[in-house]
Amino acid sequence: MGLRVIIFAIAALSLDLILGQTGLVSFGHALYLGIGAYVVGILADAGVESGFVQWPLAMAISALLAAALSVVALRTSGTFFIMITLAFAQMMFYGASSLYEYGGDDGMHLAVRSTFGGLVDLYDSRQFYYVALGLLVVLAALNIRLTRARFGMVLKGIRINERRMAAAGFPTFRYKLVACIISAAVCGLAGAMLANAAEFVGPQYMDWTRSAELMIMVVAGGLATPFGAIIGALAYLGIEKYLSDLTIHWRLAFGALLILLVFLGRGGLSALFAPGAARQAAPAHKGSFRWARPFFRPRA
């Protein structure tokens, strides 16, 4: 359970870069989770077991695919951007479902977990857990550093008012493109880890519902906050596990909790742990994310 939380926290952290920092609402982000998983599965099936090859290649292919798709998707905005990312994800979903050599709709069992020349044994759950935890800590630190750098400040400016940033001379399209590529590469890494953890690869990893789950994690944890995506992943998967053990109708109770959070929350769950930081992160200007402030509280 802890390993699953860490892997999805990494995926949610990657989504926060484009959703929370840049303001790009993508319903196709899980596409790269599936790509990373399939790269590991296909290479393992071909006899390439080295994680030093599989994991970087999963990140590279995810980044290249994101570059190609984002060049098209970023020429749209708003609802059209949401729809085109959803369309790309579903195209890849059905493409993966037609890979009958690798299980088709049913997916395939991972032939062997990634090997690292004897340095790490992923069949040892404790070692795998600490490798994943170490990667999460490194990526979270890099995310904080990135968002506080000039690059991150430009992304925030694009989220607030892209026309003004373009008028100031910033190539906003390039900044958004780079953000999408970085985000996809990190999500591809999460996909490679997920394939090893589950010892299974299937098209359901890249279904649009998986993208929606990642989005819920980010929003619930707190958009554009240092640890919001991590907290959101922990809360989402933890509550899901707890409620599913209580009743088969757990999704109904889970949905009610999400509705309460959207209506009453300010800055997501991260506001409970760092109220000051959450208030700073939540945009208070006109045209910002509607869910960044509560519905039943007057504006300051």
Side-chain angles (χ1 to χ4, degrees):
M1 180 63 186
L3 181 60
R4 186 165 180 258
V5 168
I6 291 173
I7 292 172
F8 277 96
I10 291 175
L13 196 66
S14 69
L15 177 60
D16 187 55
L17 181 63
I18 58 173
L19 177 61
Q21 301 293 339
T22 316
L24 298 173
V25 182
S26 171
F27 266 99
H29 196 67
L31 160 65
Y32 308 111
L33 190 72
I35 292 297
Y38 265 98
V39 169
V40 171
I42 292 173
L43 288 178
D45 187 67
V48 181
E49 303 174 2
S50 175
F52 293 118
V53 175
Q54 292 178 347
W55 292 24
L57 194 58
M59 297 177 68
I61 292 178
S62 296
L64 289 173
L65 182 61
L69 299 183
S70 298
V71 165
V72 178
L74 289 174
R75 299 187 183 280
T76 64
S77 60
T79 305
F80 298 103
F81 181 82
I82 295 173
M83 294 304 296
I84 199 169
T85 55
L86 176 61
F88 282 141
Q90 290 304 101
M91 285 170 57
M92 297 301 293
F93 170 80
Y94 290 115
S97 298
S98 64
L99 296 175
Y100 300 113
E101 185 179 354
Y102 300 107
D105 285 330
D106 298 326
M108 67 175 181
H109 178 74
L110 186 67
V112 61
R113 286 186 174 181
S114 303
T115 60
F116 291 89
L119 297 175
V120 178
D121 181 11
L122 297 188
Y123 282 100
D124 185 330
S125 58
R126 187 181 298 272
Q127 291 188 40
F128 196 174
Y129 175 82
Y130 283 116
V131 167
L133 182 61
L135 287 173
L136 176 61
V137 171
V138 170
L139 291 171
L142 290 175
N143 179 63
I144 294 173
R145 181 68 183 90
L146 186 68
T147 55
R148 293 178 179 176
R150 182 176 183 268
F151 178 77
M153 295 300 176
V154 173
L155 293 184
K156 291 178 183 178
I158 292 172
R159 181 192 69 199
I160 295 170
N161 193 324
E162 184 174 354
R163 289 185 178 180
R164 183 176 294 178
M165 295 299 293
F170 291 98
T172 58
F173 181 86
R174 295 180 186 176
Y175 274 93
K176 291 191 294 183
L177 180 61
V178 172
C180 289
I181 292 173
I182 294 173
S183 178
V186 175
C187 195
L189 174 61
M193 296 169 64
L194 181 61
N196 279 277
E199 295 189 49
F200 173 81
V201 176
Q204 55 266 45
Y205 287 166
M206 60 181 73
D207 189 41
W208 74 270
T209 56
R210 184 71 67 183
S211 298
E213 289 177 355
L214 293 176
M215 191 177 298
I216 291 172
M217 294 176 192
V218 175
V219 175
L223 288 164
T225 55
F227 305 107
I230 300 173
I231 295 172
L234 176 61
Y236 183 93
L237 296 175
I239 295 174
E240 178 186 73
K241 173 65 176 174
Y242 176 74
L243 292 178
S244 62
D245 289 341
L246 293 179
T247 173
I248 60 173
H249 305 294
W250 64 272
R251 294 184 184 276
L252 183 63
F254 192 68
L257 289 175
L258 290 176
I259 292 172
L260 285 175
L261 178 64
V262 170
F263 276 88
L264 303 178
R266 183 181 181 88
L269 293 174
S270 59
L272 300 177
F273 301 94
R279 281 195 296 268
Q280 292 176 3
H285 50 78
K286 185 177 180 181
S288 65
F289 286 106
R290 183 66 179 89
W291 53 69
R293 61 177 184 271
F295 288 101
F296 301 120
R297 192 176 303 171
R299 296 185 181 183

